[in-house]
Amino acid sequence: MAKRQVLSGLNIFWRMILGYLVVIFLVVAISAYSILSLNKINRLANSILSIDQQVIDIEKKMTDSLLAQAQNEQKYFVTRDESYLNLYLSQQQAFAEHFSQLAPLLSSAEEIALKDRIRELFSSYSSRLPLIPSSPSSLLSPSSIDKQTSRPATTGSSSPNPVAAEDSKTTIDELTSSLEKLIGLRQLMINQKMEQLRQMGNQASLITQIFVVASLVLCLILAFFITRSISRPLRKIEKMTEYIGDLNFDHHLDLGVHSPRELAQLAQSFSQMADRLKEIDEMKNNFISHVSHELRTPLTSINEAGDLLLDGVGGEITSRQEHLLQIIKQCTERLIKMVNNLLDLSKMEAGMMNYEFVQASLREIILHSLQELDLLARKKSIRLEVQLEDNLPLLKMDVDRMQEVVDNLLSNAVKFTPEGGTVRIEARQVTSFLQVSVSDTGPGIPPEYQSRIFEKFQGIKSGRTSQTKGTGLGLSIASHIVKAHGGKIWVESTEGKGSTFYFSLPLTAALEKDFPGEKKEK
């Protein structure tokens, strides 16, 4: 448990170092095993080349020497040529030297037994050799394997003893057979070592492959967990930034105890920042709501006073005074509308807006909005086009709020469409929704505004004027109203070619349920 806590507290740097150390350890382990296996194979191969092959070569030389001795012996007794005797003695000496080289290289019990048997047979063969006549030219030093046999000069018979010759032939055959057995044993040992080499090579190859595969799997698992321990907190932080960018400050970041310390500290800072931004946003909303409440009463009084003065309650007024009073009335009504919008938006954001849902026709709402905007459209020579499907179904809606949505979209379209342009509104049923679209031929909306056009105070700057039109509340209010009816609202626009605003409302009773942040009254 303590070890897990220590690992959990590692920062990104030490997590990466730990991963590299594990990889290095695995590489070193595989390399060490490969080197040890190669050393074993090398030692075994060297023993075959330096010992076993040498033993076979010596044994073959001994066989050749033995056969040469037998041939020279027969030739000497037939020809009495001392050169054959000398050849015989030199081959005998060579056999003895080869035997002395071979003896230390033999290791198995069978080989040692054969070695002793060869010594015994060769001693017997040398001791039974017929006596050689003396000659002034053949004074050679006698030689034998165990220094026990000598060749004194005599004046014997000139022909060999048949019994001795037969015994010599038998002894030669036994010696040759023993040497062949010795060669066979050593060849068997070589074959066994070669098989051992093959098995060692296969085993080393298999174990190395298993080692490599296991190491790769372990490295992949380690890389996965290290990467995930870094990427998952980063994705959460990225998601948190999106929430903050959407002005949603209610989410808090919890990366868990296994996250790197740097990211945990960053998450804590993000949470603190979100809390602080939430406090600031609440203070701003409270301030706007309070100021709006405080402004609505005096503005209403000013508006009523202006109406009374225009009605002549304060006495007769001149045309100049009437013009000024009309300006005051228009500005006051505009301020009252702005204050009411601010109060409505505050209620919608707080989930305190009440809606009165009734069965109504969206066609009538659209036609009413067109009638009110017809005069403004004529002044700008804007053509209004309407395409409504026949037999549009009735919807359960708050008529006044939905009228506000349509009025807002149409007024924005007329406002941003240049003189001589076209504004088009359509309404049609799409599957289980009724979809309304409002298109214009205005300057369009820049791409950087389209993602946040429905946020409050996001006024649209026209491409043909530097003046920002509107307060940036209308679309935000429209978005809240549509969502409260269970629908959705969006925009499609190409800068320089105009915009199309869409909203869709469900035809089913799904809108009976409450949606987050809104209250409805039936």
Side-chain angles (χ1 to χ4, degrees), residues 28 74 85 95 107 142 154 185 194 200 230 233 251 303 334 352 382 387 390-392 407 439 451 465 473:
V28 170
Q74 294 297 326
L85 176 62
F95 186 92
S107 56
T154 64
L185 285 175
M194 293 297 294
M200 289 176 62
I230 298 173
H251 289 79
N303 190 47
R334 181 181 176 188
M352 300 175 63
I382 294 175
Q387 184 174 350
D390 296 333
N391 302 322
L392 286 177
D407 288 348
S439 305
S451 61
T465 176
L473 295 176

Side-chain angles (χ1 to χ4, degrees), residues 56 91 100 110 161 189 203 228 274 279 285 364 377 383 396 430 482:
I56 291 179
Q91 291 297 331
S100 63
E110 290 179 291
N161 186 345
M189 291 177 64
Q203 182 181 8
R228 191 180 68 165
E279 292 177 5
N285 291 336
E364 299 300 327
R383 184 171 68 256
K396 183 170 283 190
V430 180
V482 170

Side-chain angles (χ1 to χ4, degrees), residues 72-123:
N72 290 320
E73 176 191 357
Q74 294 297 326
K75 291 178 181 180
Y76 171 75
F77 285 119
V78 172
T79 64
R80 292 298 175 173
D81 187 350
E82 291 186 0
S83 61
Y84 290 119
L85 176 62
N86 292 332
L87 289 174
Y88 168 81
L89 295 174
S90 64
Q91 291 297 331
Q92 188 181 58
Q93 182 66 30
F95 186 92
E97 291 176 356
H98 293 323
F99 187 86
S100 63
Q101 294 174 3
L102 177 66
L105 301 178
L106 302 179
S107 56
S108 69
E110 290 179 291
E111 287 182 323
I112 294 174
L114 284 172
K115 179 194 71 174
D116 294 338
R117 177 61 177 164
I118 290 170
R119 179 189 291 114
E120 180 183 348
L121 289 171
F122 191 71
S123 299

